[in-house]
Structure formats: C-alpha cells, structure tokens
Amino acid sequence: MKKSHIIGIIVIAMAIGIIMTTAGDASTYVSFGDAIEMAQDGNSTKVHVVGRLKKDDQGHIVGMQYDPLKDPNYFAFTLVDTNRFEQRVVYFNPKPQDFERSEQVVITGNMQNEVFVADKILLKCPSKYTENEIQTNTAGI
C-alpha cells in the first residue's frame, strides 16, 4: 500500500473515533416524568429539561431559594416542564444573572433523591426590544 492510502485510513479512523466520542456525550431532551423513570431504573445519564418558572399572580417566582450570605453555591427553585409537571431543582452554583427575567429555562442534569440536580442552567430572557420600538427605529431609516 502507498503511504497516502495508509495516512487516509488513519485519518478516517480518527474521524470515526471523534464522532463516536461526541455522540456518546450527547444528552437528550426529556420531561421530568421521563427523568424520574430513568433515575428509578438506575440510569444516571445527564438529560435536558425545558420549562418555565413557577410564578404567582403578581409574577413573582414561587419557591426560589438563594441566600448568598449563607451559602452562595446553593440555588433552588421550582420548574414546570412542558407537560406542566412541577419539580424542585437544585443548582450547586451561584444564581444566574437575570434569572428572574427569564421566559424559559433549559436545565441539564439528572434526578437524585426526589430533586433534579442541575449541572447547567440556560436562560431564554425576553428581548430587550419591543415590536413597536423595532418598527419605529426601522421606519426612520
């Protein structure tokens, strides 16, 4: 075999190895019900859950617990998933900035002892521009 063929085979083998490693680390989007079932089956795979914060009639977040003076690395809140299932979430890091303003929350983690322990929190915050402001600004151009 030529050296170019051998090098090509090695490159292809490395690419397949990288793809297999990346695919193994990927987590899936599930509901809290699915995450609970996975935990009961002994599966501790990290999953993504999409939800909204539980709020009262005045728009205040219900069940949020964060005291940076007592423990800055403990943040807990209640999240309602797309199936309207409420679940307590614990995040062992500081509370994310603008958490109260978020419209939607994506958490990554797994169920542990009746709570969802999040490793990452991604926030979808409302746009800082309203539709009227956008139309006014583009009309003058």
Side-chain angles (χ1 to χ4, degrees), residues 134-141:
I134 294 171
Q135 289 176 356
T136 303
N137 289 339
T138 57
I141 294 178

Side-chain angles (χ1 to χ4, degrees), residues 18 24 30 32 41 44 47 49 53 63 122 128 132:
I18 290 170
V30 299
F32 282 125
D41 292 341
S44 62
V47 295
V49 178
L53 298 171
L122 303 170
K128 68 179 188 175
N132 291 337

Side-chain angles (χ1 to χ4, degrees), residues 24-94:
D25 292 340
S27 62
T28 58
Y29 284 84
V30 299
S31 66
F32 282 125
D34 295 334
I36 291 169
E37 286 180 18
M38 289 173 67
Q40 289 173 346
D41 292 341
N43 187 347
S44 62
T45 303
K46 304 289 183 193
V47 295
H48 288 78
V49 178
V50 179
R52 296 186 180 273
L53 298 171
K54 184 177 181 184
K55 296 185 179 182
D56 60 15
D57 295 334
Q58 289 78 32
H60 298 98
I61 299 172
V62 175
M64 184 170 70
Q65 180 182 354
Y66 182 64
D67 185 358
L69 298 177
K70 183 178 177 185
D71 187 357
N73 290 321
Y74 182 85
F75 175 51
F77 58 96
T78 301
L79 191 69
V80 181
D81 70 4
T82 53
N83 294 335
R84 299 191 179 178
F85 185 86
E86 295 179 11
Q87 180 62 51
R88 188 73 173 163
V89 178
V90 175
Y91 182 57
F92 292 107
N93 284 301

Side-chain angles (χ1 to χ4, degrees), residues 90-126:
V90 175
Y91 182 57
F92 292 107
N93 284 301
K95 180 179 76 163
Q97 186 176 356
D98 292 334
F99 185 80
E100 293 84 2
R101 295 180 31 163
S102 65
E103 288 179 356
Q104 197 172 37
V105 179
V106 178
I107 54 176
T108 303
N110 58 1
M111 290 296 298
Q112 296 177 15
N113 300 327
E114 305 298 320
V115 297
F116 190 93
V117 177
D119 296 335
K120 294 181 187 176
I121 297 178
L122 303 170
L123 305 175
K124 181 178 185 284
C125 292

